[in-house]
Amino acid sequence: MCSHQPSCPSLDGNAAHVVAAHPEQGWSLLCDGAIVFDDTGELTSDGRAVAPHRVPVERLAVAA
């Protein structure tokens, strides 16, 4: 699916580029066909759903 060079690795890779961003709706389309959501959930191009993987509150950085 990717048209850029070098092309992205397998679906489990993290190198895909955003080709359409819709922050007002909370999602972005990646060049490998996956859709990622602001809550860190994901729909892969092969139809799998990946549950959100949020960071525990204790690990979030606090601005001073």
Side-chain angles (χ1 to χ4, degrees):
M1 276 183 144
C2 300
S3 60
H4 55 85
Q5 292 298 324
S7 60
C8 293
S10 68
L11 294 175
D12 295 325
N14 292 323
H17 302 278
V18 173
V19 294
H22 295 277
E24 72 283 358
Q25 297 176 353
W27 62 274
S28 296
L29 174 65
L30 303 181
C31 62
D32 64 0
I35 298 172
V36 293
F37 297 95
D38 288 351
D39 71 354
T40 70
E42 183 175 340
L43 293 174
T44 64
S45 59
D46 63 358
R48 291 183 298 123
V50 178
H53 44 279
R54 297 182 180 100
V55 175
V57 168
E58 302 82 37
R59 293 182 51 200
L60 294 176
V62 177

